[in-house]
Amino acid sequence: MNDVARLAGVSLGTVSHVLNKPEIVSAKTIARVTAAIDELGFVRNDAARSLAAGRSNTIGLILTDVGNSLFVDIARGAEDAASSAGRSLLLANSDVTFTKQESYLDIFNEARVAGIILAPLDAGLDGVDRVRRHGRNIVLVNYAGDRTDCCSVVVDEEHGGYLAASHLMDIGRTRLLFAGGPRDLHAVNARRFGAQRAVQERGGSVSLDVVHSRNLKSLSGRSIAQDLITSGALPDGILAPADQLAAGLIHELTDAGISVPADIAVIGYDNNQFASEAAIPMSTVSQPGHDMGREALRLLVDEIDNPRTHEHQRVTLQPTLIVRRSTTAPNPSST
């Protein structure tokens, strides 16, 4: 800044005003300082400014998997809200890797961001305690465990599973399968509980079997479908706790000559972007990702700006059912 001031022929305070309060500086002075900045290639040090001011306008956002459009929607919601609040957003992708999640928490902590929005893995929330001890505000999104010492934004996952199973039963499917997902993922378990509750409430001759998989990827869906075809014990309705799983199932079933949805109706979860664009557009349960990101940013800014009056809260949003061709054809056995 001293170099800029000397080249522009103004005081250091004038350079500071141009950068931070341009409304109180004449247009002619702004032009001179801006020209000096351009000539020198000056880039101001926001980290130093944050230290001097005692606060930062930057918020860190750590997402689980940017390959899943749910997390892209969360990022967009947070970005929109950050822009409205005059904050900057830094995005990190943990890539479903616990060590990366912990590393990014430390990186944002060391950068002294004003706060962090974290979409955590189920593996543990020790890093949350670590950064909070260092004075970082943090909001959890999409999963919060039993934490009550920080704000969180979650979706009613159990209701989402309930919606999916109810839809399959409403179109006449009675031999249901909850297909795939690791046993230790909170979201998968909650969706399965919701599906089981829907079947129990319906009663009658409806059944629900469960198979697990190592992950939520398409290859796991294809593997499950191969096992079903080999066994010959085919359901007439499949609930997959992720759209990628559902896509793999549909691919393998149709390759084997099994009609989706006439023989087997398949519904996914998350409403990823490809779900509506596949050869057989996929029914799914949609999560309000944009609203999740926006709410998380709102809660975080309130905690940053109002530390004395802020009260931690958990905001629970509702998923919605989206019906497409993968479940809409009637089941021949029910007509």
Side-chain angles (χ1 to χ4, degrees), residues 80-101:
D80 288 348
S83 178
S84 298
R87 311 296 168 115
S88 300
L89 199 66
L90 291 178
L91 172 64
N93 175 32
S94 71
D95 200 25
V96 202
T97 304
F98 183 70
T99 54
K100 283 188 177 182
Q101 172 183 297

Side-chain angles (χ1 to χ4, degrees), residues 34 54 88 104 159 179 186 204 260 272 292 333:
T34 301
S88 300
Y104 281 127
H159 184 59
H186 163 80
V260 176
N272 271 276
M292 293 167 70
S333 63

Side-chain angles (χ1 to χ4, degrees), residues 23-88:
E23 66 277 5
I24 68 173
V25 184
S26 71
K28 182 178 179 180
T29 300
I30 290 175
R32 288 169 60 191
V33 172
T34 301
I37 287 172
D38 291 342
E39 183 175 340
L40 293 172
F42 168 77
V43 177
R44 63 182 178 182
N45 188 333
D46 277 341
R49 291 176 68 244
S50 297
L51 285 172
R55 62 179 296 167
S56 168
N57 283 326
T58 302
I59 289 171
L61 172 61
I62 305 173
L63 299 177
T64 308
D65 179 12
V66 295
N68 184 328
S69 64
L70 166 66
F71 296 105
V72 175
D73 289 342
I74 290 173
R76 286 172 173 162
E79 183 180 30
D80 288 348
S83 178
S84 298
R87 311 296 168 115
S88 300

Side-chain angles (χ1 to χ4, degrees), residues 18-238:
V18 169
L19 293 173
N20 300 298
K21 298 178 181 179
E23 66 277 5
I24 68 173
V25 184
S26 71
K28 182 178 179 180
T29 300
I30 290 175
R32 288 169 60 191
V33 172
T34 301
I37 287 172
D38 291 342
E39 183 175 340
L40 293 172
F42 168 77
V43 177
R44 63 182 178 182
N45 188 333
D46 277 341
R49 291 176 68 244
S50 297
L51 285 172
R55 62 179 296 167
S56 168
N57 283 326
T58 302
I59 289 171
L61 172 61
I62 305 173
L63 299 177
T64 308
D65 179 12
V66 295
N68 184 328
S69 64
L70 166 66
F71 296 105
V72 175
D73 289 342
I74 290 173
R76 286 172 173 162
E79 183 180 30
D80 288 348
S83 178
S84 298
R87 311 296 168 115
S88 300
L89 199 66
L90 291 178
L91 172 64
N93 175 32
S94 71
D95 200 25
V96 202
T97 304
F98 183 70
T99 54
K100 283 188 177 182
Q101 172 183 297
E102 295 298 285
S103 175
Y104 281 127
L105 281 171
D106 289 336
I107 289 170
F108 284 151
N109 189 22
E110 292 167 6
R112 290 176 168 79
V113 296
I116 299 171
I117 298 173
L118 170 66
L121 299 170
D122 289 10
L125 297 176
D126 293 343
V128 175
D129 295 324
R130 186 170 65 253
V131 298
R132 282 180 58 79
R133 284 196 301 268
H134 296 162
R136 303 281 85 75
N137 300 305
I138 191 163
V139 172
L140 303 176
V141 63
N142 199 49
Y143 174 68
D146 57 358
R147 304 292 296 235
T148 59
D149 59 345
C150 57
C151 287
S152 59
V153 181
V154 297
V155 172
D156 189 343
E157 303 281 12
E158 185 171 332
H159 184 59
Y162 184 93
L163 288 174
S166 297
H167 170 62
L168 291 178
M169 292 186 289
D170 287 344
I171 62 173
R173 308 306 165 111
T174 58
R175 303 186 313 279
L176 307 185
L177 176 69
F178 187 93
R183 297 173 186 269
D184 58 351
L185 280 183
H186 163 80
V188 171
N189 289 332
R191 294 165 193 178
R192 186 180 72 252
F193 294 154
Q196 291 170 330
R197 179 165 60 87
V199 169
Q200 290 170 357
E201 289 181 6
R202 192 68 58 104
S205 58
V206 180
S207 63
L208 175 66
D209 292 326
V210 176
V211 296
H212 297 281
S213 63
R214 293 180 59 186
N215 55 47
L216 300 172
K217 303 298 185 181
S218 176
L219 284 177
S220 290
R222 296 181 68 166
S223 178
I224 292 171
Q226 290 167 1
D227 291 342
L228 290 173
I229 294 166
T230 300
S231 71
L234 296 174
D236 61 6
I238 295 179

